[in-house]
Amino acid sequence: SAVISQKPSRDICQRGTSLTIQCQVDSQVTMMFWYRQQPGQSLTLIATANQGSEATYESGFVIDKFPISRPNLTFSTLTVSNMSPEDSSIYLCSVKTSGIRRPYNEQFFGPGTRLTVL
Amino acid sequence: QKEVEQDPGPLSVPEGAIVSLNCTYSNSAFQYFMWYRQYSRKGPELLMYTYSSGNKEDGRFTAQVDKSSKYISLFIRDSQPSDSATYLCAMSPGGSYIPTFGRGTSLIVHP
């Protein structure tokens, strides 16, 4: 299993500012994922953060808006830049177990960061 | 049409009721089917996963997959107020793939 912590747990920000969300995992993992969860919407994958290389972004998400850092195998940050009220959401960090002997690689989530943009 | 459809609810039931939560999907490549539970202000946690068609039981929870109908269900027997949460279905073509999630169904079990 994996235990994931996120900081901050919540924040209220002004339009046009940026917020950096931190994600810490209690074990080394190859891939970390950042999701957005908007009210009434499904979990949407923003990007996959790989240690030692550029993050891979999903359609509709760009690096200028959501820059990601992955300095080591247990830590990642997601920045929400130049925020607007449409960015109000819960942002979740996630990791997936790996191993060829597992039939299914379980996915673990952090508690989320609840962001409100005014 | 979304790949995974799930009614957001809320679904309100009395304690002790049998709860049925459902999802439909369109991608026939999906082979792994998961149910996650998410309590308020927490991240989702995996409840169960099923590979291909059939049933899987774990205590009060039963997951059912009907690939011919592209329909999955989660049954909760003897529901408890502590089961009140949002239940998200998810599915993927393989065990190492990133799953596609449904919107989640909000369940309220009242005493």
Side-chain angles (χ1 to χ4, degrees):
Chain A
S1 66
V3 177
I4 304 172
S5 59
Q6 285 184 235
K7 289 182 182 179
S9 58
R10 61 191 308 160
D11 207 341
I12 301 173
C13 301
Q14 295 297 319
R15 180 195 300 261
T17 62
S18 297
L19 175 72
T20 295
I21 302 168
Q22 299 179 8
C23 177
Q24 180 76 51
V25 188
D26 69 342
S27 57
Q28 294 185 338
V29 292
T30 305
M31 291 192 291
M32 295 175 76
F33 308 95
W34 287 99
Y35 284 85
R36 183 172 70 183
Q37 187 175 34
Q38 295 180 310
Q41 302 299 316
S42 57
L43 277 174
T44 302
L45 181 63
I46 297 172
T48 301
N50 307 302
Q51 197 268 335
S53 64
E54 293 278 340
T56 304
Y57 289 83
E58 298 299 306
S59 175
F61 298 96
V62 295
I63 187 171
D64 289 347
K65 177 67 176 177
F66 297 101
I68 287 171
S69 78
R70 182 80 198 275
N72 57 52
L73 291 173
T74 63
F75 187 79
S76 177
T77 67
L78 170 76
T79 299
V80 186
S81 304
N82 188 25
M83 289 184 285
S84 67
E86 292 71 36
D87 295 319
S88 297
S89 185
I90 298 172
Y91 292 86
L92 293 151
C93 175
S94 175
V95 303
K96 204 162 165 55
T97 59
S98 60
I100 57 175
R101 294 183 179 181
R102 291 175 177 268
Y104 174 69
N105 296 327
E106 185 173 346
Q107 192 159 358
F108 298 90
F109 289 86
T113 295
R114 186 178 296 267
L115 171 62
T116 302
V117 184
L118 303 177
Chain B
Q1 180 190 11
K2 289 189 175 182
E3 270 195 306
V4 179
E5 298 278 3
Q6 184 175 13
D7 187 333
L11 177 62
S12 181
V13 301
E15 183 176 355
I18 297 174
V19 175
S20 173
L21 303 167
N22 312 294
C23 289
T24 59
Y25 63 96
S26 58
N27 188 345
S28 57
F30 289 144
Q31 295 283 350
Y32 284 87
F33 303 90
M34 290 72 73
W35 287 97
Y36 284 80
R37 178 176 61 195
Q38 184 175 22
Y39 290 114
S40 180
R41 303 189 186 282
K42 301 286 187 182
E45 56 177 348
L46 182 68
L47 261 182
M48 324 178 49
Y49 78 90
T50 309
Y51 173 71
S52 195
S53 285
N55 294 359
K56 185 173 185 178
E57 189 174 319
D58 185 359
R60 295 184 296 112
F61 299 87
T62 300
Q64 195 171 77
V65 174
D66 182 350
K67 290 188 69 180
S68 62
S69 302
K70 295 189 177 66
Y71 187 88
I72 70 170
S73 301
L74 178 70
F75 297 97
I76 307 175
R77 291 185 300 279
D78 187 26
S79 56
Q80 303 295 309
S82 58
D83 295 327
S84 298
T86 296
Y87 291 79
L88 299 94
C89 64
M91 39 201 85
S92 68
S96 60
Y97 284 67
I98 304 303
T100 301
F101 286 86
R103 290 197 292 171
T105 299
S106 175
L107 172 66
I108 301 167
V109 181
H110 50 87

